[in-house]
C-alpha cells in the first residue's frame, strides 16, 4: 500500500473500546506497525508485525489486518490512551516506508 | 536502555545545507538499520530516509531524493543526515529512529526526541 488512510479523529468514553482503522490497497498482505504519539513526545511503537506487542505495551492494545483495512483496538480505554496513532507499512515496489495520515484519539 | 539523541537542527536559509547527527547508546548500533523521520508541528509523520546495518542499502523519500544523504559510522554509534538545497517545506522536527532489525522493511522500535529544522529567509 502506498497510501494509508486513517480517520482524523476518534472519540471514546473511558472504559469503552476504541477502534482505529488504517485503509490501504491490499494492506491485508502487508506487515503493519502502529505508533502512539502523545503531545510533545516522540512516537512509541505499540504494535509491530501486525499483532505483536513490544515489551511494556499493555494487552489492552491489539491489532488485526485483513483485506483493505488494518485495525488497532484499544480496550478498556483510559485517559492515558489519549494520543495520536499512526499506522505504517513498508511499500516494497517503491522501497519506501509509508505512514498513515494519523488518528487523534480523544478520551471524553 | 536505548537512547537516541539528535542534534544539528537550526534555522537555515533556503538553498543552504545542514547536517543532522544522532548519537546512539544502550544497544549494539552496528546490528540495526536506522532511520530519519520528520514531522511538521501539528501534522503527521513523514519517512525521510533509512540505512541498513552496514550501509549496504539505503532508501529515500521522493521529496528528498537527490538532496539528502544518509550515512552512519558504526565505530562511533552515529547516524547522520546531510541535507542540501534546503527548501521551506523541509521545515520540521527530525527524528532519529532505530529499526527492530538489521535490514530495511521492518518497524521503528525506538525514537529520539527530535531536532528542529527551520528553513526560512
Amino acid at each position: 500500500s502506498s497510501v494509508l488512510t486513517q480517520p482524523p479523529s476518534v472519540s471514546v468514553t473511558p472504559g469503552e473500546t476504541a477502534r482505529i482503522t488504517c485503509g490501504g490497497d491490499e494492506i491485508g498482505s502487508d506487515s503493519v506497525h502502529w505508533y502512539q504519539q502523545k503531545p510533545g513526545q516522540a512516537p512509541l511503537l505499540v504494535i509491530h508485525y501486525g499483532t505483536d506487542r513490544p515489551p511494556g505495551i499493555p494487552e489492552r492494545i491489539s491489532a488485526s489486518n485483513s483485506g483493505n483495512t488494518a485495525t488497532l483496538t484499544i480496550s478498556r480505554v483510559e485517559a492515558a490512551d489519549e494520543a495520536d496513532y499512526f499506522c505504517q507499512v513498508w511499500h516494497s515496489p517503491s522501497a519506501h516506508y509509508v505512514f498513515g495520515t494519523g488518528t487523534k484519539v480523544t478520551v471524553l | 536502555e536505548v537512547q537516541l539523541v539528535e542534534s544539528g537542527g537550526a534555522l537555515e536559509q533556503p538553498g543552504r545545507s545542514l547536517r543532522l547527527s544522532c548519537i546512539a547508546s544502550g544497544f549494539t548500533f552496528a546490528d540495526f538499520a536506522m532511520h530519519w523521520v520528520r514531522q511538521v508541528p501539528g501534522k503527521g509523520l513523514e519517512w525521510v530516509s533509512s540505512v541498513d546495518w552496514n550501509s549496504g542499502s539505503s532508501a529515500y523519500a521522493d521529496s528528498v531524493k537527490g538532496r539528502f544523504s544518509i550515512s552512519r559510522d558504526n565505530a562511533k554509534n552515529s547516524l547522520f543526515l546531510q541535507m542540501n538545497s534546503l527548501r521551506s517545506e523541509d521545515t520540521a522536527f527530525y527524528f532519529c529512529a532505530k529499526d527492530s532489525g538489521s535490514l530495511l522493511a521492518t518497524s521503528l522500535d525506538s525514537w529520539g526526541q527530535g531536532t528542529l529544522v527551520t528553513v526560512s529567509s
Side-chain angles (χ1 to χ4, degrees):
Chain A
S1 304
S2 62
V3 177
L4 301 179
T5 302
Q6 300 180 234
S9 63
V10 167
S11 296
V12 60
T13 303
E16 297 301 309
T17 297
R19 293 181 179 84
I20 304 157
T21 58
C22 175
D25 189 33
E26 298 183 349
I27 195 173
S29 62
D30 293 328
S31 187
V32 182
H33 316 293
W34 290 90
Y35 304 85
Q36 174 194 72
Q37 186 181 30
K38 297 183 179 180
Q41 296 185 18
L44 172 71
L45 179 68
V46 294
I47 291 285
H48 60 172
Y49 304 107
T51 59
D52 294 348
R53 283 182 300 276
I57 302 303
E59 293 184 4
R60 301 184 297 105
I61 295 179
S62 62
S64 61
N65 187 17
S66 178
N68 294 321
T69 304
T71 303
L72 180 72
T73 301
I74 308 173
S75 304
R76 302 181 299 283
V77 165
E78 304 172 356
D81 297 324
E82 189 162 283
D84 294 327
Y85 292 83
F86 298 90
C87 56
Q88 176 251 311
V89 302
W90 167 257
H91 185 244
S92 297
S94 63
H96 282 24
Y97 289 81
V98 180
F99 283 97
T101 50
T103 298
K104 180 177 180 60
V105 171
T106 300
V107 181
L108 301 172
Chain B
E1 178 191 4
V2 172
Q3 287 200 330
L4 300 168
V5 180
E6 304 94 337
S7 61
L11 170 63
E12 190 52 88
Q13 295 180 338
R16 302 292 293 267
S17 298
L18 273 178
R19 189 189 196 211
L20 305 184
S21 300
C22 172
I23 304 296
S25 61
F27 66 102
T28 304
F29 181 75
D31 285 350
F32 295 92
M34 296 294 295
H35 311 272
W36 289 101
V37 176
R38 68 186 181 185
Q39 184 175 38
V40 175
K43 302 297 183 181
L45 300 173
E46 180 187 13
W47 168 73
V48 174
S49 183
S50 303
V51 62
D52 69 1
W53 68 284
N54 68 347
S55 304
S57 181
S58 61
Y60 297 90
D62 293 345
S63 57
V64 307
K65 196 168 188 178
R67 300 188 299 121
F68 290 10
S69 177
I70 192 170
S71 62
R72 63 188 297 162
D73 184 339
N74 286 346
K76 296 183 178 179
N77 291 346
S78 297
L79 177 72
F80 306 101
L81 185 68
Q82 178 66 43
M83 309 166 64
N84 298 331
S85 302
L86 285 165
R87 304 169 180 169
S88 58
E89 54 263 37
D90 296 321
T91 295
F93 280 98
Y94 284 72
F95 295 99
C96 166
K98 168 189 169 292
D99 201 279
S100 57
S102 60
L103 303 176
L104 304 186
T106 51
S107 61
L108 287 62
D109 67 2
S110 297
W111 297 61
Q113 288 302 307
T115 187
L116 179 61
V117 171
T118 303
V119 183
S120 175
S121 54

